[in-house]
């Protein structure tokens, strides 16, 4: 009872201050007392945070201050994220935390050795140590009772989390959060409660529905699909005309705007949609990071379909294997060979990343060296952020940097069209999301990018503009991987 009595006042302060911070930060737009159940969830999440921090110190005021600091940090990060990509913080963002110290430049964050990071971090540690020394612990006296308390409290939290994934508690959670609705749920129950609830709901969801079958058609022996980092027609940003866009409109069998499930980030969402053909609505709470749910284990993926039809499956990406856990995910998707960062050690850089032109030439080399039907999926890097001074010599304006890089993307497309012209092949290029530029704010073009689908070696057809979603493009590509690999008369074995 003494522990509970000593905990109540700090807990009450933590709940009041956390609710005030959320209201101030715009994360709690609905009145707190509108629904008692929603208020209970909001305050319950703050209380769980306080108990979580209490486990580490058994000092109630330190736990309460840690809760307030945590809520403040979550609100500030969520506001900053919403300003850049139009979406608040989601539970799946925490899965990306291990990437931050490995690749801090991709998150606009200085390295941990920078004084701007190390200084505040060490100061915070010193403050916690001082508070730890000044505030008395509520840990029960005696070694046995202390050990029992230290073990029991975390186990109780783990048991509560486990109970929320099955039985009556899971059913109650499903009634409160039947489907993802981030903005409404954050306004209703607050950010911490939404983060916790969504993470638990994802763990209890059934597998997504199967992707509907597409009509089959004679396949092409070479199918090259390239996900272009942050690619949109630069004229939409007020930039100059890109010759590759004229080529697309005059030579592509199909082209148009591509509605993608993110703005400025979350490459994996568009990637998953194209590789599986699964619509975002079918992913439930896995929609925010589709790789968290199955880690690439997708029986209906394009590479698995290709492998089943006799294709070699190749993934080409000139960046680190560990980023987004891409090597592991792509192997589970069904790619039997990976060409990644280490294979581009000597490739020319344009800015901080391997240039798109160099990547395109490697793709053409892989096509020419193939021994049979080939399905190749590539992800570019040249147009990846951050857009800040020092990226390109003498070019500090973010838009000017982007226009420089996207021109190289256009040259890569032109070289690929010329290089594949003598093949019986399909080439598809598409933007994963719009760039996160000051001139391209969230909501730009309804999150649409641009795509093009070229067909070579078959009957000529007039270009058609067909605006699609990313998942619809993935289903369209399934028809190019049919098992009928019979080459047309007069085609050499190398071309087949």
């Amino acid at each position: 009872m003494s522990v509970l009595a000593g905990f109540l006042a700090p807990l009450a302060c933590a709940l009041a201050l956390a609710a005030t911070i959320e209201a101030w930060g715009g994360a709690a737009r609905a009145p707190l007392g509108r629904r008692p159940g929603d208020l209970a969830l909001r305050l319950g999440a703050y209380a769980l945070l306080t108990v979580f921090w209490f486990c580490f110190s058994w000092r109630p005021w330190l736990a309460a201050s840690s809760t307030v600091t945590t809520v403040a940090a979550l609100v500030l990060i969520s506001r900053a994220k919403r300003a850049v990509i139009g979406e608040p913080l989601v539970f799946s963002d925490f899965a990306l935390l291990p990437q931050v110290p490995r690749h801090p430049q991709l998150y606009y964050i200085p390295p941990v050795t920078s004084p701007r990071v190390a200084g505040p971090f060490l100061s915070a540690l010193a403050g916690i140590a001082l508070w730890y020394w000044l505030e008395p612990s509520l840990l029960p006296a005696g070694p046995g009772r202390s050990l029992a308390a230290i073990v029991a409290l975390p186990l109780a939290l783990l048991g509560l989390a486990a109970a929320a994934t099955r039985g009556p508690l899971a059913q109650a959670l499903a009634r409160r959060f039947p489907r993802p609705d981030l903005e409404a749920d954050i306004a209703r129950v607050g950010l911490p409660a939404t983060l916790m609830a969504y993470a638990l709901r994802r763990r209890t969801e059934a597998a997504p529905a199967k992707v509907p079958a597409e009509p089959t058609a004679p396949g092409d022996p070479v199918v090259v699909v390239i996900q272009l980092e942050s690619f949109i027609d630069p004229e939409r940003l007020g930039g100059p005309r890109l010759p590759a866009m004229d080529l697309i409109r005059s030579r592509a069998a199909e082209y148009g705007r591509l509605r993608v499930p993110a703005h400025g980030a979350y490459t994996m969402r568009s990637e998953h949609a194209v590789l599986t053909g699964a619509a975002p609505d079918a992913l439930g709470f896995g929609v925010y990071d589709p790789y968290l749910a199955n880690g690439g284990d997708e029986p209906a993926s394009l590479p698995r379909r290709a492998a089943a039809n006799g294709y070699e499956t190749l993934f080409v990406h000139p960046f680190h294997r560990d980023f987004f856990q891409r090597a592991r995910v792509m192997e589970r998707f069904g790619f039997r060979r990976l060409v990644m960062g280490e294979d581009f050690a000597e490739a020319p850089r344009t800015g901080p990343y391997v240039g798109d032109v160099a990547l395109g030439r490697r793709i053409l080399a892989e096509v020419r060296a193939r021994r049979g039907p080939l399905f190749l999926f590539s992800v570019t890097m040249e147009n990846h952020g951050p857009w800040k001074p020092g990226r390109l010599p003498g070019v500090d304006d973010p838009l000017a940097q982007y226009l420089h890089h996207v021109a190289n993307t256009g040259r890569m497309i032109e070289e690929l069209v010329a290089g594949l012209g003598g093949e019986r092949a399909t080439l598809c290029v598409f933007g994963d999301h719009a760039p996160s530029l000051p001139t391209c704010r969230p909501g730009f073009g309804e999150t649409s990018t641009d795509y093009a689908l070229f067909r070579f070696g078959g009957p000529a057809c007039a270009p058609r503009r067909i605006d699609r979603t990313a998942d619809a493009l993935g289903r369209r590509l399934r028809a190019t991987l049919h098992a009928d690999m019979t080459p047309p008369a007069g085609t050499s074995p190398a071309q087949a």
Side-chain angles (χ1 to χ4, degrees):
M1 290 300 293
S2 60
V3 174
L4 181 60
F7 192 73
L8 287 179
L11 176 62
C13 289
L15 300 188
L17 287 173
T20 302
I21 288 170
E22 282 216 85
W24 168 82
R29 292 190 296 274
L32 294 182
R34 178 172 291 179
R35 289 187 179 180
D38 292 341
L39 179 59
L41 285 171
R42 182 189 298 272
L43 298 181
Y46 302 153
L48 286 173
L49 273 176
T50 308
V51 174
F52 170 80
W53 289 119
F54 186 68
C55 289
F56 293 95
S57 67
W58 283 78
R59 286 160 173 80
W61 287 106
L62 178 57
S65 67
S66 299
T67 297
V68 173
T69 303
T70 300
V71 172
L74 291 175
V75 169
L76 289 173
I77 293 170
S78 188
R79 288 183 67 181
K81 181 188 169 192
R82 184 186 272 109
V84 175
I85 63 176
E87 181 178 286
L89 196 66
V90 294
F91 73 94
S92 58
D93 291 330
F94 293 91
L96 302 178
L97 284 178
Q99 304 288 347
V100 176
R102 296 176 189 171
H103 310 284
Q105 75 283 1
L106 298 181
Y107 296 92
Y108 293 80
I109 296 173
V112 292
T113 54
S114 168
R116 288 187 293 165
V117 174
F121 178 72
L122 293 175
S123 299
L125 285 182
I128 291 171
L130 178 62
W131 196 326
Y132 198 92
W133 178 64
L134 291 174
E135 184 181 2
S137 169
L138 293 185
L139 198 64
R145 295 176 65 191
S146 296
L147 181 60
I150 290 171
V151 172
L153 192 55
L155 287 179
L157 287 177
L158 290 173
L160 181 61
T165 62
R166 61 178 65 89
L169 196 53
Q171 294 169 12
L173 200 62
R175 286 193 297 270
R176 287 283 182 178
F177 302 90
R179 65 188 63 83
D181 192 352
L182 259 183
E183 298 289 356
D185 287 333
I186 290 175
R188 182 168 60 89
V189 302
L191 182 58
T194 301
L195 293 172
M196 295 178 193
Y198 278 35
L200 292 168
R201 287 286 287 120
R202 183 193 65 81
R203 293 175 61 87
T204 61
E205 281 188 312
K210 292 183 178 180
V211 177
E214 290 288 311
T216 58
D220 289 328
V222 175
V223 178
V224 176
V225 180
I226 305 178
Q227 180 171 281
L228 305 174
E229 173 64 39
S230 301
F231 178 78
I232 62 173
D233 181 354
E235 284 193 283
R236 296 170 62 190
L237 297 174
R241 194 176 189 87
L242 190 67
M245 294 305 300
D246 292 330
L247 178 68
I248 285 170
R249 295 181 185 110
S250 62
R251 292 279 306 276
E254 300 167 21
Y255 70 93
R257 297 285 170 84
L258 189 71
R259 181 74 177 269
V260 293
H263 173 92
Y266 292 118
T267 293
M268 76 288 284
R269 296 182 187 174
S270 303
E271 190 169 278
H272 182 273
V274 171
L275 284 174
T276 65
D281 291 346
L283 301 178
F285 289 86
V287 67
Y288 301 108
D289 188 343
Y291 293 164
L292 278 181
N294 297 321
D297 186 13
E298 304 281 356
S301 70
L302 285 175
R304 289 197 182 186
R305 180 183 178 92
N309 289 343
Y311 289 79
E312 176 190 0
T313 52
L314 172 61
F315 176 70
V316 182
H317 179 47
F319 200 60
H320 300 284
R321 285 176 168 264
D322 68 334
F323 193 58
F324 286 159
Q325 300 183 6
R326 266 226 174 85
R328 180 182 64 82
V329 169
M330 290 303 161
E331 286 174 344
R332 295 192 71 187
F333 257 123
F335 289 101
R336 295 176 179 172
R337 188 160 72 92
L338 309 181
V339 174
M340 301 193 73
E342 65 276 10
D343 299 293
F344 290 87
E346 305 302 322
R349 262 67 175 166
T350 306
Y353 310 113
V354 172
D356 283 354
V357 172
L359 173 62
R361 291 171 183 171
R362 177 60 185 260
I363 290 170
L364 286 175
E366 293 289 347
V367 170
R368 290 163 185 153
R370 76 189 191 282
R371 296 183 178 180
L374 172 67
F375 172 67
L376 186 154
F377 183 79
S378 180
V379 177
T380 71
M381 273 302 292
E382 181 178 338
N383 288 347
H384 203 292
W387 310 101
K388 59 183 181 180
R391 180 186 178 107
L392 291 173
V395 183
D396 288 344
D397 177 68
L399 178 58
Q401 292 176 348
Y402 176 78
L403 295 176
H404 176 89
H405 290 301
V406 83
N408 291 333
T409 304
R411 281 191 283 274
M412 178 190 72
I413 294 172
E414 293 176 84
E415 289 191 7
L416 286 168
V417 170
L420 294 173
E423 304 280 351
R424 182 175 159 217
T426 293
L427 168 66
C428 177
V429 296
F430 70 95
D432 59 349
H433 53 69
S436 55
L437 294 167
T439 51
C440 187
R441 289 300 185 188
F444 171 85
E446 296 184 337
T447 70
S448 67
T449 62
D450 292 273
Y451 85 96
L453 185 68
F454 296 88
R455 303 297 297 272
F456 306 103
C461 58
R464 294 187 300 161
R465 174 168 176 168
I466 306 174
D467 294 342
R468 286 190 166 99
T469 59
D471 54 286
L473 178 61
R475 294 191 295 273
R476 170 68 181 86
L477 288 169
R478 289 161 66 89
T480 68
L481 296 168
H482 191 248
D484 179 9
M485 289 290 105
T486 306
T491 303
S492 68
Q495 290 175 314

